[in-house]
């Protein structure tokens, strides 16, 4: 994926997550078939069967852990890519870093939505992109939707990346995502 637009992320992410779940399901199905073959083998003693079953359990656990690690790496890389596109190329000189840090500190102190809108409008009018982006980020993380909409209208180049990032965050965190992962990557039951 070259540029992570909201549309491309909405197509790529679910397909990739489903692919990881399908891999886990295939590992579990192979585990069940192998387990049954071991149990049904009349030429193997109970002690040998127990050893083979334990080895199978370890192997299956390892495979499921590897698939889960691949999924986590995919999600992390996607999130990092979208965040990088969201932030854009930023100067790394000491003055620019201090300006961004100061703007972020000031934005963190905003708790009222109307105050955020007023400060955002002032920042836009004065051409203070660092402060506007800091307020936009703060609003996005605190659920100030009106502020986010104003910010996105003023900076349309970041609007698509913000939507993509919000989609990634909504679909790779929270209780439903964690529960789906626990089910997908749990050890197979007998």
């Amino acid at each position: 994926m070259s540029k992570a637009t909201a549309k491309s992320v909405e197509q790529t992410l679910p397909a990739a997550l489903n692919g990881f779940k399908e891999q886990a399901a295939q590992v579990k199905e192979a585990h069940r078939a192998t387990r049954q073959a071991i149990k049904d083998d009349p030429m193997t003693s109970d002690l040998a069967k127990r050893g083979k079953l334990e080895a199978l359990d370890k192997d299956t656990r390892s495979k499921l852990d590897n698939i889960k690690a691949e999924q986590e790496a995919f999600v992390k890389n996607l999130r990092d890519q979208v965040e990088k596109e969201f932030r854009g190329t930023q100067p790394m000189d000491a003055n620019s870093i201090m300006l961004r840090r100061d703007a972020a500190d000031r934005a963190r102190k905003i708790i009222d939505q109307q105050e955020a809108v007023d400060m955002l409008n002032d920042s836009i009018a004065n051409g203070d992109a660092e402060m506007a982006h800091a307020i936009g980020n703060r609003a996005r993380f605190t659920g100030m939707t009106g502020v986010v909409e104003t910010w996105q209208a003023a900076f349309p180049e970041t609007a698509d990346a913000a939507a993509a990032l919000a989609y990634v965050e909504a679909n790779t965190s929270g209780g439903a995502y964690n529960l789906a992962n626990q089910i997908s990557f749990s050890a197979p039951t007998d």
Side-chain angles (χ1 to χ4, degrees):
M1 181 177 4
S2 59
K3 181 157 174 51
T5 63
K7 185 176 181 179
S8 69
V9 168
E10 288 174 11
Q11 293 171 345
T12 304
L13 182 62
L17 294 177
N18 287 335
F20 291 118
K21 288 177 184 168
E22 184 61 34
Q23 287 179 36
Q26 289 172 359
V27 167
K28 288 180 178 184
E29 187 56 39
H31 173 89
R32 284 185 192 96
T34 305
R35 183 176 191 83
Q36 192 60 46
I38 292 170
K39 286 182 171 182
D40 292 343
D41 185 2
M43 300 304 288
T44 306
S45 70
D46 287 344
L47 182 61
K49 285 180 183 180
R50 198 171 328 140
K52 287 181 178 183
L53 291 173
E54 287 174 6
L56 176 64
D57 288 344
K58 279 185 176 181
D59 183 52
T60 301
R61 178 76 266 151
S62 175
K63 288 177 182 177
L64 290 171
D65 289 343
N66 288 338
I67 295 169
K68 185 176 182 183
E70 287 177 32
Q71 176 182 298
E72 290 171 353
F74 172 81
V75 168
K76 182 188 180 313
N77 289 338
L78 180 61
R79 182 178 283 126
D80 290 348
Q81 177 187 358
V82 174
E83 283 180 353
K84 184 177 180 183
E85 290 174 12
F86 175 69
R87 287 181 174 70
T89 306
Q90 297 179 336
M92 295 308 292
D93 61 287
N95 189 41
S96 297
I97 292 171
M98 287 179 58
L99 285 173
R100 286 194 302 271
R101 188 180 320 149
D102 179 54
D105 286 343
R106 289 176 47 209
R108 273 194 284 283
K109 295 176 183 172
I110 300 171
I111 55 173
D112 179 56
Q113 186 162 340
Q114 185 57 47
E115 180 185 7
V117 169
D118 293 342
M119 287 182 71
L120 178 60
N121 287 332
D122 289 345
S123 299
I124 293 168
N126 293 328
D128 186 356
E130 285 81 9
M131 188 63 189
H133 287 302
I135 294 169
N137 279 325
R138 169 78 174 154
R140 193 170 60 82
F141 287 116
T142 58
M144 296 183 204
T145 55
V147 179
V148 172
E149 290 169 359
T150 303
W151 173 61
Q152 289 177 342
F155 298 94
E157 67 278 4
T158 62
D160 198 39
L165 186 57
Y167 184 83
V168 169
E169 289 173 354
N171 289 284
T172 60
S173 62
Y177 177 74
N178 292 336
L179 182 60
N181 276 344
Q182 286 178 353
I183 293 168
S184 296
F185 302 112
S186 65
T189 57
D190 292 334

